[in-house]
Amino acid sequence: MTPREVIEFAKKNNCQMFDIKFMDLPGMWQHFSFPMNELTEGTFENGLGFDGSSIRGWRAIHASDMLVIPDPVTAIMDPFTKYPTLSLIANIFDPITKEPYNRDPRSIAQRAESFLKSTGLADIAYFGPEAEFFVFDDIRYNSSHSGAFYSIDSSEAAWNTGKEEGPNLGHKPRFKEGYFPAPPVDSMMDLRTEMVMVMQQCGIEIEAQHHEVASAGQGEIDMRFSPMLNMADKLMLFKYIIKNVAYKNGKSATFMPKPIWGDNGSGMHVHQSLWKDGKPLFAGDKYGGLSEMGLHYIGGILKHAQSLAAICAPTTNSYKRLVPGFEAPVNLAYSSRNRSASIRIPMYSPSPKAKRIEVRFPDPSCNAYLAFSAMLMAGLDGIQNKIDPGAPMDKNIYGLSPEELAEIPSLPGSLEDALDALEADHEYLLKGDVFTQDVVDTWIDYKRENEVGELRKRPHPYEFTMYYDI
């Protein structure tokens, strides 16, 4: 839509408010709202002023004035507000220079798409994330000087088979047996369908929804692939809808990668392909039906995977999921069909248009704009430098001998190690000023100070189990 069309759309829907959404650096949507009479065509050019000093990872207080300029193509009706509200995703600009703010994640994704076109290699990058999530009935947690705890509950959880529920009707998925069971074991079918209905209402194309492997309400809803920036916008809306539909139904949804010990965590496999002039570039006659370009793209992802982890699996909790020998793909190998490899070549369809790669180590706690951009930049580095991904791994990696496994590199074992890897390997992100050195340094410093450092200083509840009587 054009600015004029957005205003007409708002009038047609009797909007009383408009809401501006934008992204902080770690990856959460921020928002503020205005009466509709404040929205004019000029707003889409001149923007609205706000204080950026309180946004995580952004400006210091002595240089806090910022401009937020809504993107008219993102206009939808917010599906959750009491009063009719127009929702717009915005970009952030410096009020003095009028340049896009270098720490605005959405502007980084826009620069990544521009850089792709500037290379002449392709004109569009399609992304398709599979973001898993949990829906709980109760979540309580606290961390203070005198103690710490978390408590999760779900009427569907395997640990509640013996609970007095007046009556307990059973049919609870066992640990690691939640994949595709029919109702009543899958008790969340209607809830996920409600989420799908709202997503479709908001313009998100959905391919499927299903229960995921874990007990206690793990689910997945698959979106149809889209161009990279558009898909990052959709993923943020996707998370917003899932959380709010759950909340409306008296439940709580989370994209935390590993909320439950001893069961599967939530990953976000990301399908990727490059196209030019309407033609797919990853289809060919090489391994797995890939082109040489597709293999080199894989080579770039594998070469930079350890530093990518700091952006694509960016929380301390991410590494509770990325544990060797379990469900998450920590070994840096590629294969067709083989889900134990960190990069898979899906083989569902012989059509060249369906040829893509699937990167399996990201998780949905990431900032989609940064994670998608970083993977694209790593893949392009592989193409530009013709990086050989090596031989494919068609064996079950989890069944390899220790000697064989020692030959395969792996992802970092902690966020701290991933940040060290990013500090040592990030030149590929700086090409075309897609990421700036300031953004990389700010990301590393923020994560070290606010996440790694804060967790390191606190005793863990399980340490009392292990050490209290020492």
Side-chain angles (χ1 to χ4, degrees), residues 13-281:
N13 287 278
N14 300 312
C15 287
Q16 298 181 36
M17 301 288 289
F18 72 96
D19 191 63
I20 299 291
K21 296 178 175 70
F22 61 95
M23 180 76 87
D24 68 6
L25 193 65
M28 284 190 66
W29 251 358
Q30 313 294 302
H31 87 116
F32 54 135
S33 305
F34 304 84
M36 272 307 303
N37 58 14
E38 294 294 315
L39 184 66
T40 67
E41 289 186 52
T43 306
F44 294 92
E45 181 177 349
N46 302 319
L48 300 159
F50 76 105
D51 175 9
S53 65
S54 297
I55 306 300
R56 296 184 302 169
W58 277 23
R59 283 282 174 85
I61 197 166
H62 66 275
S64 61
D65 287 352
M66 306 291 289
L67 279 179
V68 57
I69 300 181
D71 186 340
V73 304
T74 66
I76 62 167
M77 293 299 296
D78 192 301
F80 301 107
T81 53
K82 178 179 179 181
Y83 302 99
T85 300
L86 177 73
S87 176
L88 293 156
I89 301 174
N91 293 319
I92 310 303
F93 289 79
D94 186 289
I96 306 301
T97 66
K98 298 298 192 293
E99 292 293 319
Y101 181 39
N102 71 301
R103 294 187 194 176
D104 173 20
R106 194 168 189 266
S107 74
I108 290 171
Q110 289 172 321
R111 292 197 295 272
E113 286 192 326
S114 296
F115 177 74
L116 170 66
K117 293 174 183 176
S118 75
T119 65
L121 295 170
D123 52 32
I124 192 165
Y126 283 113
F127 276 65
E130 300 174 357
E132 298 166 347
F133 57 93
F134 280 89
V135 177
F136 298 132
D137 290 300
D138 187 65
I139 171 68
R140 294 176 292 117
Y141 52 88
N142 187 50
S143 181
S144 68
H145 292 85
S146 62
F149 80 95
Y150 69 88
S151 178
I152 294 167
D153 207 5
S154 165
S155 61
E156 195 187 84
W159 60 78
N160 279 328
T161 55
K163 184 178 180 180
E164 289 286 349
E165 293 183 337
N168 188 325
L169 299 177
H171 298 297
K172 303 179 191 298
R174 289 178 284 272
F175 294 114
K176 297 183 178 290
E177 292 186 22
Y179 198 66
F180 282 19
V185 178
D186 178 5
S187 68
M188 303 270 180
M189 180 179 177
D190 286 343
L191 182 67
R192 293 193 306 273
T193 295
E194 183 179 344
M195 294 168 178
V196 169
M197 295 299 104
V198 178
M199 289 175 189
Q200 291 178 325
Q201 172 189 330
C202 293
I204 300 176
E205 293 182 79
I206 300 299
E207 295 182 337
Q209 62 99 331
H210 60 85
H211 204 288
E212 256 298 339
V213 174
S215 181
Q218 190 182 36
E220 179 176 312
I221 300 173
D222 296 330
M223 294 180 282
R224 183 171 175 78
F225 65 88
S226 290
M228 189 189 77
L229 175 66
N230 180 254
M231 179 50 77
D233 287 341
K234 286 181 178 177
L235 183 57
M236 292 310 301
L237 182 56
F238 171 95
K239 295 172 76 170
Y240 180 72
I241 290 169
I242 286 174
K243 290 177 181 178
N244 278 282
V245 169
Y247 192 82
K248 188 180 76 170
N249 284 273
K251 297 179 183 292
S252 177
T254 181
F255 291 88
M256 185 176 175
K258 190 73 173 182
I260 300 174
W261 168 71
D263 210 343
N264 281 37
S266 291
M268 188 179 74
H269 308 152
V270 183
H271 298 254
Q272 302 167 44
S273 65
L274 298 182
W275 291 54
K276 187 174 184 179
D277 298 328
K279 297 179 181 179
L281 301 180

Side-chain angles (χ1 to χ4, degrees), residues 212-368:
E212 256 298 339
V213 174
S215 181
Q218 190 182 36
E220 179 176 312
I221 300 173
D222 296 330
M223 294 180 282
R224 183 171 175 78
F225 65 88
S226 290
M228 189 189 77
L229 175 66
N230 180 254
M231 179 50 77
D233 287 341
K234 286 181 178 177
L235 183 57
M236 292 310 301
L237 182 56
F238 171 95
K239 295 172 76 170
Y240 180 72
I241 290 169
I242 286 174
K243 290 177 181 178
N244 278 282
V245 169
Y247 192 82
K248 188 180 76 170
N249 284 273
K251 297 179 183 292
S252 177
T254 181
F255 291 88
M256 185 176 175
K258 190 73 173 182
I260 300 174
W261 168 71
D263 210 343
N264 281 37
S266 291
M268 188 179 74
H269 308 152
V270 183
H271 298 254
Q272 302 167 44
S273 65
L274 298 182
W275 291 54
K276 187 174 184 179
D277 298 328
K279 297 179 181 179
L281 301 180
F282 280 6
D285 59 1
K286 306 297 183 183
Y287 175 82
L290 283 181
S291 64
E292 187 174 59
M293 176 184 281
L295 289 173
H296 288 153
Y297 191 99
I298 289 175
I301 297 286
L302 291 175
K303 176 181 178 181
H304 300 297
Q306 293 182 333
S307 61
L308 283 173
I311 299 173
C312 298
T315 66
T316 58
N317 185 252
S318 299
Y319 298 86
K320 305 293 195 298
R321 169 182 169 261
L322 293 171
V323 175
F326 290 87
E327 81 277 1
V330 300
N331 298 292
L332 297 177
Y334 73 101
S335 177
S336 64
R337 305 178 70 181
N338 183 357
R339 283 175 165 79
S340 68
S342 58
I343 297 179
R344 186 175 75 93
I345 305 165
M347 304 297 289
Y348 297 122
S349 170
S351 170
K353 293 183 177 181
K355 189 52 61 180
R356 61 198 187 275
I357 71 160
E358 176 191 3
V359 182
R360 296 176 59 81
F361 57 82
D363 68 56
S365 69
C366 72
N367 182 324

